[in-house]
Amino acid sequence: MADRTVHISAITASQRLDSRGKPTVQVTVTTGAGTSTALVPSGASVGDYEAHELRDGNASNYSGNSVHQAVENVDKIIGPELIKQQFNVGEDLAKIDRFMINLDASKNKSRLGANAILGVSMACARAGAAVKGVPLYEFLRKEAGITGPYLLPVPFFNVLNGGKHSGNTMAFQEFMIAPVGAESLTHAVQLGSEVYQALKSVITEKHGASAIGVGDEGGFAPPITEPSEALDLLTAAVKEAGHGETIKFAIDPASSEFYSEGRYDLGFKGNKPCQLSASGLADLYRSLMDKYPIILLEDPFAEDHWTAWSAFKKNCPIELVGDDLLATNIERIETAKEKDACNSLLLKINQIGTITESLEAAKKAFGYGWRVFVSHRSGETTDDFIADLTVALSAGHLKSGSPCRGERVVKYNRLMDIEDRLNVFGEPHEYAGAWMVKEKEIEYLQ
């Protein structure tokens, strides 16, 4: 089957629910190798430069969040036109994606909807893997042109939620733990889970049992306001779990959400006003990095505050990740390189809207000597696609929320399945923990 031409015989779409109970798009592609299905994620903290997620806007249907038009666009426009092209599914993912981009013909996929296009792209990638008779990560690895040993990612668990992901008064959106000292991916999941359970006990003891409710990504959302409070809770949980130096921290403030006219309002969620300039916020970050074992900082400044990014990057000793800044968009990545604004790309497949463009964005970032940090969305699904994508790219790290909630855990479970498979087949691989804390170059990505 690996060498024969296989065409798409049917493409159908349906409205289903994401992890927040909001509608999303499900796509099923049928070929001679069977059926392949994909579910599209959705964000809450959405940057201005992301591809357009098409929703119906009818207040009487899911409060305006239904996606019937996107579903219809798959069923009546994208599907029939793709089938006519008779693409070879096992070889033509890039051609399929480019055809859909041209069919939409807008700058941000607003005509047909990035959620419609991405669902087809994901399902076609799965169908291509089925036609080739290989796991999805292997199919995507070939599409990306990556060779050499496999690199299994460090999972960055978002265990404390703030910002738009929770109801507390914490401005910063995510506080993550990264088990860089683990012996394997499977061991890393164990360490993350143990710290997460210890954190539950620490929060209960300090704030009471009512404080252990979780946010959109499975992290706890206790009644805290200051970043130091969050990091102190993480420090106590790591100590209680007995894991010491094996665990490092990361922060995603998602600062575009509290930026206005050159100022950052850390009190934007209703607590007392706390307006900081970019330099004042930079000083806060540096004080936190001096005190806590932080190895990664994502979106510390707003998406168009280029001067703040570039100034901070000059003396930033850790991984500096662009999310809203870059929007998985090559034009934005090129601008960030010109301005020396960051050194890592946060890769979200629904920010750009096709798998091919996601791979191209990663290739561009790697070409600059940057890192690539693969990410879920706050409105996730039980689709585990990004776990395979992370392994395919040898990205070295992935964030998919806490070791809690099915739509988060399914990605970590898939990574453990992949590690087991690599072990069974004797495929050369390593866990990326040491790579995350030492500037280790990976030759086959350069």
Side-chain angles (χ1 to χ4, degrees):
M1 180 177 290
D3 295 323
R4 69 186 180 93
T5 299
V6 177
H7 301 138
I8 299 170
S9 58
I11 300 178
T12 60
S14 308
Q15 177 172 276
R16 296 293 182 261
L17 296 182
D18 69 16
S19 60
R20 290 196 299 256
K22 291 184 178 181
T24 189
V25 177
Q26 177 177 278
V27 175
T28 298
V29 169
T30 303
T31 72
T35 59
S36 301
T37 300
L39 278 159
V40 177
S42 174
S45 175
V46 178
D48 289 342
Y49 300 97
E50 297 194 20
H52 181 72
E53 180 182 72
L54 186 62
R55 294 191 182 271
D56 300 332
N58 179 356
S60 66
N61 198 325
Y62 282 100
S63 302
N65 289 308
S66 60
V67 291
H68 295 302
Q69 186 59 59
V71 167
E72 184 174 306
N73 288 345
V74 173
D75 287 341
K76 295 186 177 180
I77 300 175
I78 299 173
E81 291 299 321
L82 268 183
I83 291 169
K84 285 180 189 176
Q85 301 305 308
Q86 292 289 284
F87 287 117
N88 182 359
V89 183
E91 301 289 344
D92 291 344
L93 180 63
K95 293 179 181 178
I96 290 169
D97 287 347
R98 199 62 56 191
F99 179 82
M100 290 192 289
I101 293 167
N102 293 334
L103 186 65
D104 176 87
S106 70
K107 185 171 178 62
N108 64 348
K109 301 179 178 67
S110 57
R111 189 174 82 86
L112 298 175
N115 42 349
I117 293 169
L118 179 60
V120 176
S121 181
M122 293 169 68
C124 283
R126 278 213 170 91
V131 167
K132 289 291 190 181
V134 298
L136 178 59
Y137 65 85
E138 192 60 45
F139 177 81
L140 295 173
R141 185 173 159 91
K142 182 180 178 184
E143 288 290 316
I146 291 176
T147 59
Y150 296 87
L151 187 68
L152 290 166
V154 174
F156 277 60
F157 300 100
N158 176 13
V159 294
L160 283 174
N161 289 181
K164 281 197 169 183
H165 292 175
S166 77
N168 61 16
T169 54
M170 169 63 66
F172 288 7
Q173 189 163 276
E174 300 177 12
F175 293 85
M176 295 169 269
I177 56 171
V180 296
E183 298 170 1
S184 65
L185 181 280
T186 299
H187 186 219
V189 172
Q190 175 190 334
L191 297 184
S193 180
E194 289 173 356
V195 172
Y196 182 73
Q197 298 303 325
L199 180 60
K200 183 176 182 179
S201 298
V202 169
I203 292 172
T204 300
E205 183 176 346
K206 186 173 181 63
H207 296 286
S210 63
I212 55 172
V214 299
D216 282 352
E217 297 181 358
F220 299 114
I224 56 175
T225 301
E226 299 297 327
S228 58
E229 293 180 90
L231 294 164
D232 285 342
L233 288 173
L234 295 190
T235 301
V238 169
K239 182 178 180 181
E240 182 169 311
H243 294 316
E245 292 299 310
T246 62
I247 306 291
K248 303 297 183 183
F249 300 160
I251 306 175
D252 172 17
S255 58
S256 291
E257 302 297 339
F258 51 88
Y259 173 78
S260 179
E261 299 179 352
R263 307 288 290 183
Y264 293 87
D265 183 9
L266 300 190
F268 85 107
K269 295 182 71 179
N271 51 309
K272 62 183 180 181
C274 181
Q275 298 274 347
L276 293 178
S277 64
S279 61
L281 187 57
D283 288 342
L284 172 59
Y285 294 139
R286 291 192 184 96
S287 70
L288 296 175
M289 288 189 288
D290 288 342
K291 185 176 180 181
Y292 303 97
I294 298 167
I295 61 170
L296 180 149
L297 184 59
E298 176 189 331
D299 272 5
F301 303 101
E303 60 196 0
D304 286 321
H305 204 172
W306 292 103
T307 54
W309 279 89
S310 299
F312 189 75
K313 165 71 166 51
K314 289 179 181 178
N315 297 302
C316 180
I318 63 174
E319 183 171 346
L320 187 59
V321 185
D323 176 13
D324 291 345
L325 180 78
L326 305 176
T328 317
N329 184 296
I330 284 181
E331 291 181 7
R332 299 283 296 182
I333 294 169
E334 290 173 344
T335 301
K337 175 62 176 176
E338 291 169 7
K339 296 180 181 293
D340 194 24
C342 63
N343 56 26
S344 182
L345 162 70
L346 195 78
L347 192 158
K348 293 175 173 174
I349 56 177
N350 82 317
Q351 277 185 330
I352 192 63
T354 67
I355 299 308
T356 297
E357 289 171 293
S358 299
L359 299 180
E360 290 170 349
K363 183 177 181 180
K364 176 68 73 171
F366 285 138
Y368 289 153
W370 293 5
R371 290 177 173 177
V372 172
F373 188 18
V374 178
S375 175
H376 63 163
R377 298 308 301 256
S378 56
E380 257 302 331
T381 75
T382 49
D383 194 313
D384 58 11
F385 191 101
I386 61 170
D388 284 73
L389 178 64
T390 308
V391 174
L393 289 172
S394 288
H397 44 342
L398 163 79
K399 65 171 181 173
S400 184
S402 286
C404 165
R405 298 175 53 132
E407 79 279 359
R408 313 295 157 185
V409 172
V410 69
K411 279 75 164 174
Y412 301 128
N413 285 342
R414 174 59 182 159
L415 287 172
M416 290 189 285
D417 289 343
I418 293 172
E419 184 171 59
D420 284 350
R421 188 179 191 279
L422 295 176
N423 285 330
V424 167
F425 286 92
E427 296 280 3
H429 64 280
E430 64 176 311
Y431 174 63
W435 175 80
M436 283 303 308
V437 292
K438 301 174 184 176
E439 287 298 324
K440 179 179 178 183
E441 294 295 331
I442 300 177
E443 294 179 0
Y444 53 89
L445 294 183
Q446 304 305 319

